[in-house]
């Protein structure tokens, strides 16, 4: 009937409307997906022209470098008869769990203090056991060939003594080394790892037997150094100048000239002639009038006066010039002239100072040195060029 036909058409139209609405929603989702893909494509196109275009090539080069490094390390281990077996599966799982809990720092640096074992981790039983194995490797009890000037001979290797105390160790009669010392802990850690101490590698590259003395029930006591100072110390910067007096005199009563001569031996005879030691000593000690024959005369020079003024200033050390001291003995040996001059002054300046102190002609004598024997005739040469610095002894000789 018409009513049924109309009802059927209305149902079909409703289904078509629902289908059209669903397709419209699908079209919207696909349009958004197409827009996202277009955006990614644009980003990839921009990335091909940017600086990160060679990321894949850099990764390939890095992988090749690491693979080459692994080959070199395996070849190095093969040279020593070693093979890298890798980590066990359980250890790898522990490492992965550690990475999950705490992120490991990239390219972290090794610190020596972190690898040093503490006192509570020292296994002395393991040390004693490993020392036995190390001594076998070092050839304990096996004679070695020792070359001598006349040939060769067999010699047993001498063991290196190692004493274990309660508070430290003593190796090879050296100083006491407490367990808290990082070098001591590193030495014991090497033995615990089954190696010779790394500190002995330079002296004993092939290893050396260790003679261990277990005295862990004894506390090592520091020995006092022989001849230690028994008096009282003083703080730096504090001194009791009033209690200390400087002197150049020999303590004790001063002996007179006659007492000194009486101590000399009596006259000796040589080839029938009497040699008087006392008379020679008296003549050497006394001059005319009972005074000493050699008198020290300080020659006043302008340079010396300027130097004395500088010494009285506050910055004497910083401003004082280079000064040499010359001790010049006269022709007769009775006078000794002490002259202070600059390094740059000449032999002619020295002659002028001597002429001012002695009087007379400066050309009547020669200035010589005894060792090495040399005559200074060039008045234009400086004292530094003549090698008369910082101190020198000279003689005057008549022409």
């Amino acid at each position: 009937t018409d009513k049924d036909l109309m009802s059927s058409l209305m149902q079909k139209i409703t289904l078509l409307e629902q289908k059209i609405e669903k397709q419209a929603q699908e079209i919207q989702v696909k349009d958004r997906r197409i827009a996202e893909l277009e955006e990614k494509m644009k980003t990839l196109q921009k990335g091909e022209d940017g600086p990160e275009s060679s990321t894949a090539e850099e990764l390939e080069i890095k992988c090749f470098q690491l693979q080459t490094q692994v080959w070199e390390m395996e070849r190095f281990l093969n040279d020593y008869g070693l093979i890298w077996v890798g980590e066990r599966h359980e250890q790898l799982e522990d490492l992965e769990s550690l990475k999950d809990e705490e992120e490991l720092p990239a390219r972290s640096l090794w610190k020596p203090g972190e690898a040093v074992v503490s006192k509570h981790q020292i296994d002395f039983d393991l040390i004693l056991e490993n020392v036995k194995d190390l001594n076998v490797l070092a050839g304990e009890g096996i004679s070695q060939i020792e070359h001598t000037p006349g040939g060769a001979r067999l010699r047993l290797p001498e063991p290196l003594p190692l004493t274990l105390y309660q508070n430290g160790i003593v190796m090879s009669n050296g100083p006491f080394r407490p367990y808290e010392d990082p070098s001591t802990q590193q030495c014991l850690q090497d033995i615990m790892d089954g190696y010779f101490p790394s500190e002995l590698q330079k002296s004993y590259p092939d290893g050396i037997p260790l003679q261990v003395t277990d005295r862990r029930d004894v506390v090592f006591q520091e020995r006092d150094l022989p001849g230690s100072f028994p008096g009282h110390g003083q703080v730096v910067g504090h001194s009791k100048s009033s209690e200390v007096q400087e002197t150049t005199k020999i303590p004790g009563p001063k002996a007179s000239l006659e007492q000194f001569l009486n101590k000399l031996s009596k006259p000796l005879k040589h080839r029938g002639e009497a040699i008087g030691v006392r008379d020679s000593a008296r003549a050497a000690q006394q001059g005319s009038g009972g005074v000493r024959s050699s008198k020290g005369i300080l020659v006043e020079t302008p340079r010396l006066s300027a130097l004395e003024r500088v010494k009285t200033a506050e910055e004497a050390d910083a401003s004082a010039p280079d000064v040499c001291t010359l001790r010049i003995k006269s022709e007769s040996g009775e006078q000794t002239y002490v002259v202070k001059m600059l390094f740059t002054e000449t032999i002619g300046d020295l002659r002028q100072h001597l002429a001012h102190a002695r009087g007379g002609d400066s050309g009547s004598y020669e200035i010589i040195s005894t060792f090495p024997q040399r005559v200074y005739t060039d008045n234009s040469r400086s004292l530094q060029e003549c090698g008369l610095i910082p101190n020198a002894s000279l003689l005057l000789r008549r022409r």
Side-chain angles (χ1 to χ4, degrees):
T1 62
D2 295 339
K3 187 177 181 180
D4 295 336
L5 181 61
M6 185 64 68
S7 173
S8 168
L9 290 175
M10 290 297 294
Q11 291 179 357
K12 291 182 178 179
I13 291 174
T14 302
L15 293 175
L16 288 174
E17 289 178 351
Q18 293 177 355
K19 190 174 182 179
I20 289 173
E21 184 178 359
K22 185 177 180 180
Q23 289 179 352
Q25 292 177 358
E26 292 179 356
I27 289 174
Q28 291 179 358
V29 172
K30 290 182 179 180
D31 288 341
R32 287 196 299 268
R33 180 63 178 170
I34 290 172
E36 292 176 357
L37 293 176
E38 289 179 351
E39 187 68 24
K40 289 183 179 181
M41 186 174 64
K42 291 180 181 179
T43 304
L44 292 176
Q45 289 177 354
K46 293 180 180 180
E48 291 179 357
D49 301 332
E52 298 179 357
S53 60
S54 60
T55 304
E57 296 180 358
E58 293 178 357
L59 292 177
E60 291 179 358
I61 295 175
K62 185 65 175 179
C63 181
F64 178 75
Q65 292 176 352
L66 293 175
Q67 189 175 8
T68 305
Q69 185 177 3
V70 170
W71 290 342
E72 293 176 354
M73 295 171 66
E74 290 179 350
R75 189 182 303 111
F76 173 78
L77 293 175
N78 291 333
D79 293 340
Y80 290 90
L82 303 176
I83 299 176
W84 176 255
V85 296
E87 300 290 346
R88 295 193 300 273
H89 183 67
E90 295 81 0
Q91 296 177 348
L92 292 177
E93 291 181 352
D94 296 339
L95 182 59
E96 291 295 334
S97 62
L98 180 61
K99 289 183 179 179
D100 296 338
E101 295 176 0
E102 180 180 359
E103 184 179 358
L104 296 177
R107 295 183 180 181
S108 59
L109 298 178
W110 173 78
K111 298 180 180 180
E114 297 177 354
V116 175
V117 64
S118 64
K119 177 181 178 181
H120 302 288
Q121 297 177 350
I122 298 177
D123 189 351
F124 292 98
D125 296 334
L126 180 60
I127 291 176
L128 298 177
E129 188 67 24
N130 288 346
V131 165
K132 296 179 181 179
D133 299 336
L134 292 175
N135 290 343
V136 174
L137 294 177
E140 183 182 18
I142 300 176
S143 301
Q144 298 179 355
I145 299 177
E146 180 183 8
H147 295 280
T148 59
R153 64 179 181 180
L154 295 177
R155 180 183 61 86
L156 289 175
E158 297 181 0
L160 187 69
L162 173 62
T163 306
L164 302 177
Y165 289 96
Q166 184 177 349
N167 55 340
I169 66 173
V170 175
M171 179 179 292
S172 183
N173 297 326
F176 174 73
R177 300 165 57 177
Y179 290 122
E180 292 78 8
D181 191 356
S183 62
T184 305
Q185 298 178 9
Q186 185 62 46
C187 175
L188 297 179
Q189 181 64 46
D190 292 340
I191 299 177
M192 291 171 58
D193 293 339
Y195 300 100
F196 287 99
S198 56
E199 62 187 62
L200 302 178
Q201 182 178 4
K202 184 176 181 181
S203 302
Y204 307 98
D206 298 331
I208 183 174
L210 298 176
Q211 184 180 2
V212 180
T213 303
D214 191 359
R215 302 188 62 185
R216 283 176 289 167
D217 56 340
V218 178
V219 177
F220 184 86
Q221 299 292 338
E222 292 287 350
R223 296 182 295 270
D224 295 333
L225 296 177
S228 58
F229 180 69
H232 300 283
Q234 295 184 0
V235 181
V236 176
H238 173 74
S239 62
K240 299 179 180 179
S241 58
S242 60
E243 299 179 1
V244 180
Q245 296 181 355
E246 296 183 358
T247 179
T248 57
K249 298 181 180 181
I250 301 176
K254 182 178 179 180
S256 62
L257 179 59
E258 295 298 331
Q259 293 176 351
F260 170 73
L261 295 177
N262 292 333
K263 294 181 180 180
L264 300 178
S265 60
K266 297 180 179 181
L268 302 177
K269 290 186 178 181
H270 178 67
R271 296 182 180 179
E273 298 180 359
I275 301 176
V277 180
R278 298 180 180 179
D279 296 337
S280 301
R282 185 185 301 273
Q285 292 290 330
Q286 291 183 348
S288 59
V291 297
R292 294 182 181 269
S293 59
S294 179
K295 296 185 297 182
I297 302 175
L298 180 62
V299 179
E300 293 290 341
T301 62
R303 301 287 186 180
L304 180 60
S305 302
L307 178 61
E308 293 296 334
R309 290 194 299 269
V310 171
K311 284 185 177 180
T312 58
E314 295 181 356
E315 300 179 354
D317 296 338
S319 60
D322 294 331
V323 178
C324 65
T325 302
L326 303 179
R327 300 183 63 87
I328 308 171
K329 186 168 291 189
S330 63
E331 299 88 337
S332 61
E334 296 180 355
Q335 291 87 20
T336 300
Y337 303 96
V338 181
V339 185
K340 293 183 179 293
M341 301 175 62
L342 295 179
F343 288 1
T344 56
E345 292 190 84
T346 61
I347 298 295
D349 297 333
L350 176 59
R351 290 184 178 275
Q352 293 180 3
H353 298 325
L354 292 176
H356 179 72
R358 289 159 45 93
D361 186 9
S362 61
S364 62
Y365 56 84
E366 294 178 344
I367 302 176
I368 63 174
S369 60
T370 56
F371 184 80
Q373 189 171 3
R374 184 178 177 184
V375 181
Y376 302 97
T377 57
D378 191 353
N379 294 331
S380 62
R381 298 194 63 182
S382 65
L383 302 180
Q384 187 172 8
E385 293 175 351
C386 296
L388 300 178
I389 59 173
N391 302 310
S393 298
L394 302 175
L395 297 176
L396 299 182
R397 184 177 63 184
R398 293 188 179 87
R399 291 185 180 274

